[in-house]
Amino acid sequence: MIGWDAEDSGMTDRRYMLLSMGPTMEGGLMPIPKDASKAGVRPAWMGYIGVDDVDIYAKRVKAAGGAIHRGPEDIPGVGRFAVAGDPHGAGFMLFKGDGEQALAATPAGTPGHVGWRELHAGEREGAFAFYSGLFGWTKAEAVDMGPAGVYQTFAIHGTQAGGMMTKTPQTPAPFWLYYFNVEAVDSAMARVKDGGGQILNGPLQVPGGSWIVQCSDPQGAMFAMTGPRR
């Protein structure tokens, strides 16, 4: 769908595939751990939030009303992580890499990279207070979507990076939705259908001229794509 390269991580204790776009590492792919599967965890994308000390932030997450589901623990040669959840249950990861060098920034809209992050929150204002209090995210534009409520965009280090809204009553549980940049939305939609996925919403044009489409993969994990329509 996205055009990533995939290779085995070489880990001996678990199956883990590394996903990259050219020289840039984009993410990973692994089976749901058995204990999580027994607890009802379904296929989903989990985003990493970079911090300077995973152990300290894990304590802060719990103090702010969130949860730590696993860790903190080390991935040898990679970094330290913890699996977390906000007060309403939306999952995310805390991460600190072993290296001191920051990830190189990519130009906005570059295909294969995450272009937007969207929280379908249990309650928007409470969720924003949780994340901004922990990570310093700031409010950007607030968009009135009528019956759907307010869509609050937020900035990270001054750059607009995502949005938050109170989830619809039909949405089973709060979750983060990630928008992957693609070269052309229409051809990407065709790849989703050919690969056994579903188009859930869209394509819709958003402010700025880009188009978005929300999808699910054959196992039910939700994702979205953004780019020009051609």
Side-chain angles (χ1 to χ4, degrees):
M1 307 303 105
I2 312 298
W4 293 322
D5 295 318
E7 64 175 311
D8 188 86
S9 66
M11 294 183 184
T12 57
D13 62 336
R14 70 191 72 178
R15 292 172 55 201
Y16 196 94
M17 299 296 293
L18 299 172
L19 306 174
S20 61
M21 193 71 179
T24 305
M25 200 64 63
E26 293 298 327
L29 179 67
M30 62 179 287
I32 299 173
K34 290 183 179 180
D35 56 344
S37 182
K38 290 179 180 178
V41 173
R42 304 297 301 164
W45 285 97
M46 294 277 284
Y48 285 75
I49 300 175
V51 296
D52 53 16
D53 190 310
V54 171
D55 295 75
I56 288 175
Y57 271 87
K59 293 176 182 178
R60 291 177 180 174
V61 166
K62 291 191 284 188
I68 296 298
H69 301 297
R70 178 174 176 177
E73 62 184 89
D74 292 320
I75 305 173
V78 177
R80 190 165 177 81
F81 78 99
V83 181
D86 70 21
H88 297 104
F92 62 96
M93 314 278 276
L94 301 171
F95 183 75
K96 171 66 167 66
D98 281 348
E100 296 300 323
Q101 186 175 358
L103 292 175
T106 55
T110 301
H113 301 272
V114 174
W116 194 252
R117 306 140 189 89
E118 184 175 272
L119 176 63
H120 294 243
E123 187 275 310
R124 174 181 49 81
E125 279 297 313
F128 183 84
F130 172 81
Y131 289 99
S132 63
L134 284 170
F135 308 116
W137 301 350
T138 56
K139 287 185 177 180
E141 183 181 5
V143 180
D144 186 352
M145 300 192 301
V150 172
Y151 188 89
Q152 179 65 61
T153 65
F154 62 88
I156 300 175
H157 303 307
T159 300
Q160 192 161 275
M164 298 183 185
M165 60 185 290
T166 300
K167 73 177 186 65
T168 66
Q170 295 77 26
T171 303
F175 71 101
W176 280 96
L177 179 67
Y178 298 94
Y179 288 70
F180 302 117
N181 297 327
V182 293
E183 292 184 353
V185 166
D186 289 84
S187 56
M189 289 172 58
R191 293 195 299 271
V192 169
K193 296 174 183 177
D194 290 344
Q198 297 184 52
I199 304 301
L200 304 177
N201 191 24
L204 302 170
Q205 192 169 28
V206 295
S210 291
W211 291 79
I212 63 171
V213 59
Q214 297 173 347
C215 316
S216 66
D217 69 20
Q219 297 184 16
M222 290 185 63
F223 66 101
M225 299 181 294
T226 179
R229 190 169 186 189
R230 58 174 184 264

